[in-house]
Amino acid sequence: MRTFWLLVRAGFRRHSTYRLALLAGVTTNSVFGFIRASVLLAALASAGSAIGGYDAPTALAFVWWGQALLGTVNLWGFAEVKDRVRTGDIAVDFLRPVDPQMAYLAGDLGRAGINLVGRGVPAILLGGLLFDLAWPPSALSWVAGAVSVVLAVVVAFAGNFVINLLAFWLVEIRGITLLWMITGGLLCGLYLPVPWFPTWLRTIANWSPFPSMLQNPIDILAGRVVGTDIASAVAVQVFWAVALLGLGQLVLRAGRRRLEVQGG
Amino acid sequence: MSADSIIETRELVRDFRKTRAVDRMTFSVEPGEAVGYIGANGAGKSTTIKMLTGILKPTSGHVRTCGLDPMRRRVEVARRLGVVFGQRSQLWWDLPLRDSFTILGAIHRMDDGSTRARTDLLVEQLEMGPQLGTPVRSLSLGQRMRAEIAAALLHSPELLILDEPTIGLDVLSKQRLREFLVAERHEQGTTLLLTTHDMGDIERLCDRVLVVDHGRLAFDGTLTGLAGTVGAQRILVLDLAGPTPDLCDVPGATLVQSESDGLRQRLSFDSAATTVAAVLAHVSSRHEVRDLTIEEPDIEDVVRRIYAASGRD
C-alpha cells in the first residue's frame, strides 16, 4: 500500500514538471467550455424545456465538469506502455517486485491528481464564476462524485492499458488507439450527454465502459443522478473497473509469455 | 552443483522461431562468486540473462535463480536480484535522481530509514552527491551508469547481474565503476554475473569466466585457465636504442617478432607467470630500452580463439 502511494506521488511529481502544458490545458479547456456551453444553451432554448433531465444549470454543470475532468480522466489514452513494449523496456518493469499494472495505475492516479489540481479545479471555478451552473445538491453528492471521479480515472486507465498491451502482438496499434479515442469520446458523453442519444446509440453506450469514464461522475456532480441512483451509477463503474483491470491482468500475463525482447 | 547454488541451469534451451539462441546450457554459480559471461554478439548472452531473471520463458530445460523458478516466482526473485541492462534504464527519467531511490526503496518494501541510509552510503561510494537533485535525463552516461548500479544495489540483493555495464564509458568512469564493484562485493559478498565486451572488466572483477558460442557453453573456468587454453597472452612491445639481437632468453616471455634489426621487438608473456616489470628489468639490464607499449588480449580475440579451438567459425 505504501509502495502504491509512493508511486502515486511519483506520478504526481512527474507530471507536475510540465507546468506549461498544464497552463495550455486550462486555456484550451476553458475556451471549449465556452463554446460547448453556448451550443447546449442554444439547444435548450430552442427546445423550450429541459431535455433528457437536463435544464440550463444542469447542462452547464455537465459542460464544465466535463471540461474540468477532461485532463484528469485520460480519455485520449497514453502510449508509454506501448512504447515500452515496443522498445523492450517493459523488461525492466518485470524485474521489479511489483505488479506492472498496479505500478502504472498508481502512476496514472498521480497524473490524474496533478491534472485535477492544475487543470480541473481552475476550469470548474471559471465555469462556476461565469455561469449559473448546478452544484452538487448534497454532501453525499460531493463525496460520491469524488469517488466516482477516481473510479472514472481507473476505468479509463484500465481500458487504455489493455489497448497498450496489444503492442505485444501488433507492430502498430495507432489505428486501434484512434478507434478507441473516437468511440470513447462519443460514447463517454463528452460531446453530448448520453441521455440525449437516440435509443439505439444509448443502448450501445450503456453496455460499454465509456460512460463510466465521464458521464457517471458528471451526472452525480451535476445533481442529475441522486439518491439510490448514485449507488447504481457507482456500481456500474466498479464493475467496469474490476472487469477491465482483470482483463488487463490476463493480457499482461499472456504478453509476458510472448515477450521476445531481442538484443539489448 | 550444490543444492544452494544461486544460479543453476540444466539443459536450458530457448528458440526464437527457427533459431536456437540458447542450446542445452548447463552451469551453476555459487554464492559469492564473480562470473564473467562472454561471447560474440548474438551468442546468447542476453537471452540467458533474460531467462535467469524471469523476463523470458525458456523453450525447455531447467533454470533456478536464488533457488526459485524465475518465471513462476518473478516477484520473489526480483526482491533478491539486482539487474542493470546497460542499454535500458530503471530510473525515473523526469524526476530528480533522489526520487528514483525513494521509489525503488518503497518498491522493495524498505523502510524510510534504511532506504535513506543505503542511498547515502551508495551515493557516497559512487561519488554522486552533486547529482542527487538532477533529473535523470540530464545525467551524463557515466553518471547514469553509476546511478543504475546504485539503484540495482539499493535493496542489497544477493545476486547482481550486469549486462554490458561499462559500454560507452570513458577509461576513468570504467575504472571508478570497477573499483566500486570490487569494494561492494568485498563488503556485502554479493554474487556477480557480468556480461561485457571489455577484457578489463573480466580481469578486474571476475574470478571465473563462462564463454558462450552459438548458444552453447564453450568454456567454463578461471581467467588464467582461459588465457592458457587459448594462449591469449599480453604482448610487450619494446623499442630499443640500437640494433639488438633477438631477445630469446627472457624468462617467462617469448619472442613473437623482431623488426628492423631488432630495433623493435615484440614479446608475449603470461600475466600469471611473470610481470611487465620483471620482463622489462631483465631486458634493460642488458640493452637500452627507449619506449614500450603493452597490447592487452582483446575479448573478441579470446572468444575467436575459443571458437576456433572448439571447431567452429
Side-chain angles (χ1 to χ4, degrees):
Chain A
M1 203 56 219
R2 197 176 134 261
T3 308
F4 191 81
W5 177 239
L6 268 165
L7 288 170
V8 172
R9 239 174 52 186
F12 188 95
R13 293 195 55 176
R14 210 181 130 191
H15 288 270
S16 65
T17 51
Y18 304 109
R19 296 206 176 85
L20 258 178
L22 284 176
L23 188 66
V26 173
T27 316
T28 319
N29 285 5
S30 306
V31 170
F32 274 92
F34 280 106
I35 297 171
R36 291 183 53 215
S38 316
V39 173
L40 283 200
L41 284 180
L44 281 169
S46 66
S49 66
I51 313 174
Y54 289 89
D55 55 10
T58 349
L60 286 168
F62 166 81
V63 167
W64 284 101
W65 279 114
Q67 293 307 110
L69 294 180
L70 197 48
T72 307
V73 180
N74 201 342
L75 287 176
W76 309 138
F78 50 85
E80 191 186 356
V81 176
K82 173 203 82 174
D83 289 340
R84 286 178 74 83
V85 170
R86 198 169 43 78
T87 58
D89 281 347
I90 193 85
V92 174
D93 298 330
F94 284 123
L95 290 174
R96 297 192 169 132
V98 283
D99 181 82
Q101 188 195 42
M102 284 301 117
Y104 281 108
L105 173 61
D108 196 59
L109 285 169
R111 182 205 54 76
I114 180 68
N115 275 280
L116 184 66
V117 175
R119 278 173 76 171
V121 172
I124 194 67
L125 287 181
L126 187 70
L129 209 65
L130 300 177
F131 293 88
D132 183 21
L133 51 86
W135 291 101
S138 65
L140 175 72
S141 294
W142 275 110
V143 174
V147 171
S148 181
V149 168
V150 175
L151 283 166
V153 172
V154 175
V155 173
F157 163 82
N160 278 312
F161 189 71
V162 172
I163 300 284
N164 267 262
L165 290 180
L166 294 179
F168 275 117
W169 293 271
L170 304 169
V171 178
E172 187 50 72
I173 64 161
R174 235 177 297 181
I176 296 171
T177 316
L178 195 67
L179 189 69
W180 173 270
M181 268 172 61
I182 293 170
T183 324
L186 177 68
L187 297 185
C188 72
L190 175 66
Y191 308 125
L192 283 177
V194 175
W196 290 18
F197 289 178
T199 320
W200 63 272
L201 190 60
R202 195 162 65 221
T203 313
I204 296 176
N206 285 335
W207 281 97
S208 81
F210 297 111
S212 291
M213 300 177 191
L214 202 70
Q215 182 74 45
N216 291 17
I218 292 180
D219 273 349
I220 295 170
L221 289 166
R224 202 189 73 88
V225 164
V226 286
T228 49
D229 288 347
I230 290 183
S232 51
V234 172
V236 168
Q237 287 184 292
V238 170
F239 166 78
W240 281 112
V242 172
L244 288 174
L245 285 175
L247 179 64
Q249 280 295 330
L250 290 178
V251 178
L252 186 64
R253 219 161 289 172
R256 191 177 153 223
R257 288 200 153 62
R258 212 195 126 80
L259 190 65
E260 293 188 350
V261 210
Q262 299 268 25
Chain B
M1 198 179 300
S2 70
D4 56 354
S5 297
I6 201 150
I7 295 175
E8 190 186 318
T9 74
R10 212 160 47 228
E11 296 285 305
L12 190 62
V13 171
R14 172 69 203 204
D15 293 332
F16 286 114
R17 294 186 185 89
K18 290 199 175 101
T19 0
R20 178 149 290 192
V22 170
D23 191 6
R24 287 168 289 150
M25 183 90 75
T26 300
F27 70 91
S28 63
V29 174
E30 306 310 315
E33 274 194 292
V35 179
Y37 191 48
I38 62 180
N41 286 326
K45 291 174 302 200
S46 291
T47 308
T48 314
I49 288 191
K50 282 172 195 151
M51 288 192 281
L52 292 176
T53 51
I55 295 172
L56 196 63
K57 194 175 155 65
T59 304
S60 67
H62 168 97
V63 56
R64 288 287 175 277
T65 304
C66 303
L68 303 167
D69 177 347
M71 203 63 196
R72 287 176 187 284
R73 302 173 74 176
R74 181 185 72 81
V75 172
E76 285 159 89
V77 171
R79 282 194 200 293
R80 299 164 64 175
L81 191 67
V83 186
V84 174
F85 288 120
Q87 327 221 16
R88 307 194 186 288
S89 181
Q90 57 190 317
L91 307 168
W92 278 259
W93 218 237
D94 311 316
L95 296 178
L97 179 56
R98 182 185 292 111
D99 292 21
S100 285
F101 296 130
T102 314
I103 301 167
L104 284 169
I107 283 180
H108 285 286
R109 292 191 188 160
M110 295 162 68
D111 62 62
D112 289 339
S114 39
T115 302
R116 215 173 302 124
R118 183 80 175 134
T119 304
D120 288 348
L121 183 71
L122 289 167
V123 163
E124 191 204 313
Q125 287 173 340
L126 285 161
E127 298 164 45
M128 289 171 26
Q131 283 91 47
L132 272 181
T134 312
V136 173
R137 63 180 132 82
S138 310
L139 296 179
S140 73
L141 181 64
Q143 291 168 340
R144 211 206 79 207
M145 275 321 295
R146 276 182 283 150
E148 296 285 352
I149 288 178
L153 286 169
L154 188 73
H155 57 293
S156 309
E158 294 159 49
L159 172 62
L160 178 65
I161 297 184
L162 304 177
D163 192 12
E164 300 286 355
T166 57
I167 203 162
L169 296 191
D170 60 68
V171 180
L172 193 66
S173 305
K174 275 184 192 176
Q175 191 53 34
R176 285 163 84 181
L177 208 52
R178 287 169 187 157
E179 278 167 17
F180 164 77
L181 285 169
V182 168
E184 168 71 19
R185 289 198 53 248
H186 185 71
E187 281 162 33
Q188 306 266 334
T190 317
T191 311
L192 175 69
L193 182 71
L194 171 90
T195 79
T196 183
H197 275 86
D198 191 320
M199 204 60 190
D201 287 345
I202 302 281
E203 273 178 11
R204 303 208 180 31
L205 294 170
C206 304
D207 21 67
R208 180 176 159 209
V209 186
L210 300 173
V211 180
V212 61
D213 171 29
H214 288 77
R216 286 195 193 149
L217 204 56
F219 177 84
D220 178 356
T222 61
L223 183 62
T224 337
L226 178 66
T229 309
V230 299
Q233 294 182 316
R234 302 170 81 188
I235 305 276
L236 178 63
V237 184
L238 293 173
D239 286 340
L240 300 146
T244 314
D246 290 354
L247 300 166
C248 294
D249 55 347
V250 185
T254 324
L255 180 71
V256 179
Q257 197 187 26
S258 171
E259 293 170 34
S260 321
D261 295 327
L263 273 176
R264 168 173 287 186
Q265 307 209 21
R266 294 156 61 88
L267 301 170
S268 75
F269 66 100
D270 189 339
S271 304
T274 184
T275 62
V276 178
V279 175
L280 187 61
H282 184 89
V283 176
S284 333
S285 66
R286 290 160 179 78
H287 311 283
E288 189 185 342
V289 177
R290 281 183 44 225
D291 199 3
L292 67 92
T293 45
I294 299 163
E295 295 170 359
E296 299 285 347
D298 116 286
I299 211 156
E300 307 293 340
D301 188 42
V302 171
V303 169
R304 217 173 301 123
R305 284 161 189 253
I306 286 268
Y307 290 180
S310 62
R312 304 187 68 114
D313 51 10

